[in-house]
Amino acid sequence: MTHILAIDQGTTSSRAIIFDKDMRVVARAQEEFPQHFPDSGWVEHDPADLWSTTAGTCRGAIERAGLTPEDIAAIGITNQRETTLVWEKATGKPIYNAIVWQDRRTADFCAKLRADGHGDLITARTGLLVDPYFSATKLAWILDHIEGSRARAAAGELAFGTVDSFLIWRLTGGAEHVTDATNAARTMLYNIHDGCWDADICALLDIPMEMLPEVKDCAADFGMARGDIFGRPLPILGVAGDQQAATVGQACFSPGMLKSTYGTGCFALLNTGDAPVASTNRLLTTIAYQLDGKPTYALEGSIFIAGAVVQWLRDGLKMIREASETQPLAEAADETQPLYLVPAFTGLGAPYWDADCRGAIYGLTRGSGPAEFARAALESVAYQTRDLLEAMQADWDGSGEAVLRVDGGMSASDWTMQFLADMLGASVDRPAVLETTALGAAWLAGMRAGIYPDMEGFAESWALERRFEPEMETARRDAKYAGWKDAVARTLSR
């Protein structure tokens, strides 16, 4: 048993990746699933799709690797965070669709919580801003809109969970209702200082605590996957939310280390060590990982739309057939026809946190075409990353030159990464293993199983594939960024 099965359940697809004893990828399987948009700003997933694509890709990856279940030592899980599910404990049947982290339906409720003076308490205890992004108000919405659900929850009949909890419930046949500290920290219900669900916040939102999962370390015993799923029972030994798993996979174990993951959204995490840092720049204070009962904290900046803007060019505007077409288009764009695309399709995340603004394009002329749109889409990701890093630098008193470790699908684009380095005026490091999110989950499980090295050994194994150094002149960089800030100012809701 020298292999690890890593489940990477994301916003638009489920993936399973097999790692060998040397933490090398030997096989992978991936399956997309539908996105549901029942109203403006609403985003949902069918829980059946989350489960079927997860189970299917796991079996597919094992088969592609030419392995049997006897070769798998353990399962590690990483998942889209904040996405909210409620299901019946007796049957496992969800009572409503999964409400996705991008969903903004509770914006008015969050505004009322802030207006009523509850924002400071919630931020002090959870490290989060009161925003529809997080699980708590999504859960409250389900309990408000599904008849009888609060009474059933109080009676112990219903379970709440983020996607990891839901998958573990299904994998273990309902034997385990658990989560890890990183996912719990994203619910807006978890006290990151005391390491427990916060009774006061649950009471404020009228959420019965009986429906909340048990919280564990990232490397822990999360139960046994049923034998009828994979051919024999398999232990689940590692769990982390996707951005925290990427932080682990990038070996950002020392305070001051920074990673940014470019998937559907973009998420930058700065390791701040064993002490949480309260942000004065509207960043989030969160748990980077928790091992042996000890949390390591981080500052996080969240961009709602990164890779999703390329999907929009493909699926919404039909300007491209494949995401890979954006790089040659961007290279061919007319620099005298600059566009600024503010992709606030579901509002803007950090450091603006404006749930009501919507996307906008500035600078359109008759000469604007697919190439200019593609370039503006890719540039928007770099501009938003600079927004985050400037806020982090203002909050963090650490010293030393910033080096950003990147991963996720968009990091494969040399053009995008070079523009990112140019816009930051800092080095951008791309690792040899781009599957850092899955690798983080795999290492947690493999380390717990005793087949992977400890933290120090894992950090030593991190390898650089390419470093991008800034090449743009300072004056041009500042001018382009000033144009972005002006576009954002025009887009923010008044």
Side-chain angles (χ1 to χ4, degrees):
M1 295 187 292
T2 57
H3 292 73
I4 298 293
L5 168 62
I7 295 171
D8 183 355
Q9 201 299 301
T11 308
T12 58
S13 69
S14 296
R15 302 192 308 151
I17 301 175
I18 305 292
F19 291 86
D20 66 13
K21 62 182 177 60
D22 298 315
M23 294 182 287
R24 294 177 301 198
V25 174
V26 296
R28 57 171 63 84
Q30 180 170 352
E31 185 176 349
E32 291 191 3
F33 51 83
Q35 310 292 299
H36 302 280
F37 308 100
D39 204 344
S40 176
W42 294 27
V43 189
E44 296 179 358
H45 292 153
D46 184 338
D49 291 336
L50 302 182
W51 169 243
S52 65
T53 55
T54 296
T57 53
C58 286
R59 297 189 189 102
I62 293 173
E63 182 178 346
R64 290 181 184 182
L67 302 175
T68 68
E70 284 69 27
D71 298 310
I72 306 299
I75 297 172
I77 298 175
T78 183
N79 56 283
Q80 53 169 314
R81 306 170 304 170
E82 298 94 17
T83 295
T84 301
L85 298 100
V86 177
W87 63 92
E88 297 174 343
K89 290 183 178 179
T91 66
K93 179 181 178 181
I95 67 170
Y96 189 76
N97 270 352
I99 302 181
V100 180
W101 58 273
Q102 298 164 312
D103 191 281
R104 313 303 289 173
R105 75 186 66 188
T106 61
D108 290 345
F109 181 30
C110 289
K112 185 176 188 305
L113 287 171
R114 294 191 296 268
D116 290 345
H118 301 301
D120 289 345
L121 169 70
I122 291 173
T123 297
R125 298 192 182 179
T126 69
L128 309 178
L129 301 173
V130 176
D131 190 85
Y133 176 28
F134 306 109
S135 310
T137 57
K138 303 180 197 298
L139 172 55
W141 187 94
I142 292 174
L143 296 179
D144 280 337
H145 289 80
I146 305 302
E147 185 176 356
S149 58
R150 270 205 169 85
R152 295 184 67 195
E157 297 176 13
L158 299 181
F160 153 74
T162 43
V163 172
D164 60 305
S165 293
F166 176 69
L167 293 180
I168 293 170
W169 180 278
R170 286 293 180 92
L171 286 166
T172 63
E176 300 291 341
H177 184 208
V178 294
T179 189
D180 84 295
T182 68
N183 277 294
R186 310 300 298 187
T187 62
M188 213 172 79
L189 297 171
Y190 188 74
N191 189 315
I192 63 171
H193 309 283
D194 296 340
C196 62
W197 298 114
D198 194 284
D200 293 334
I201 297 176
C202 288
L204 174 66
L205 301 180
D206 195 15
I207 292 173
M209 297 185 72
E210 291 81 358
M211 67 188 311
L212 306 180
E214 177 187 357
V215 181
K216 298 195 173 195
D217 286 348
C218 297
D221 179 7
F222 291 91
M224 298 290 290
R226 303 190 327 256
D228 61 316
I229 298 176
F230 298 117
R232 79 171 184 89
L234 296 176
I236 306 166
L237 298 182
V239 176
D242 53 10
Q243 304 313 316
Q244 284 89 347
T247 302
V248 171
Q250 289 276 35
C252 291
F253 295 136
S254 299
M257 296 188 73
L258 176 68
K259 77 90 201 175
S260 189
T261 297
Y262 297 94
T264 302
C266 166
F267 303 87
L269 265 74
L270 173 70
N271 185 325
T272 63
D274 58 7
V277 174
S279 175
T280 59
N281 292 279
R282 297 179 66 76
L283 297 175
L284 308 176
T285 305
T286 194
I287 295 175
Y289 50 86
Q290 181 170 304
L291 300 171
D292 299 323
K294 180 182 177 182
T296 295
Y297 295 94
L299 282 171
E300 177 176 335
S302 306
I303 297 168
F304 297 151
I305 300 294
V309 74
V310 176
Q311 290 180 317
W312 174 68
L313 293 179
R314 182 192 68 186
D315 302 334
L317 298 186
K318 312 294 185 184
M319 285 186 172
I320 58 174
R321 293 184 299 273
E322 301 290 342
S324 59
E325 296 175 25
T326 54
Q327 178 161 320
L329 280 172
E331 292 171 345
D334 183 354
E335 292 194 25
T336 68
Q337 302 276 349
L339 294 183
Y340 284 98
L341 168 58
V342 182
F345 303 143
T346 55
L348 281 175
Y352 306 105
W353 291 108
D354 189 329
D356 297 320
C357 70
R358 290 295 178 261
I361 301 173
Y362 298 94
L364 284 170
T365 70
R366 288 286 299 272
S368 302
E372 288 70 36
F373 270 75
R375 184 169 186 145
L378 298 183
E379 287 183 343
S380 73
V381 176
Y383 292 135
Q384 292 178 95
T385 304
R386 178 166 169 175
D387 288 341
L388 298 184
L389 266 61
E390 289 195 348
M392 286 180 172
Q393 289 167 350
D395 281 331
W396 173 244
D397 59 3
S399 60
E401 182 180 354
V403 175
L404 175 64
R405 290 184 173 179
V406 296
D407 54 74
M410 293 189 79
S411 67
S413 168
D414 290 351
W415 191 93
T416 306
M417 293 302 99
Q418 183 58 56
F419 186 78
L420 176 62
D422 288 339
M423 195 45 50
L424 300 181
S427 301
V428 172
D429 284 357
R430 186 168 64 192
V433 178
L434 284 178
E435 298 283 7
T436 53
T437 302
L439 177 60
W443 175 75
L444 289 167
M447 183 264 294
R448 176 79 176 181
I451 67 171
Y452 286 170
D454 61 12
M455 183 181 290
E456 182 178 351
F458 179 60
E460 290 177 355
S461 71
W462 187 91
L464 176 70
E465 183 266 332
R466 179 172 174 182
R467 170 168 287 183
F468 296 86
E469 299 284 6
E471 299 174 352
M472 186 179 292
E473 293 181 358
T474 301
R476 182 166 179 244
R477 173 190 305 127
D478 292 344
K480 289 181 73 67
Y481 186 60
W484 163 258
K485 297 295 284 186
D486 178 66
V488 169
R490 294 171 186 270
T491 306
L492 294 171
S493 58
R494 297 293 188 263

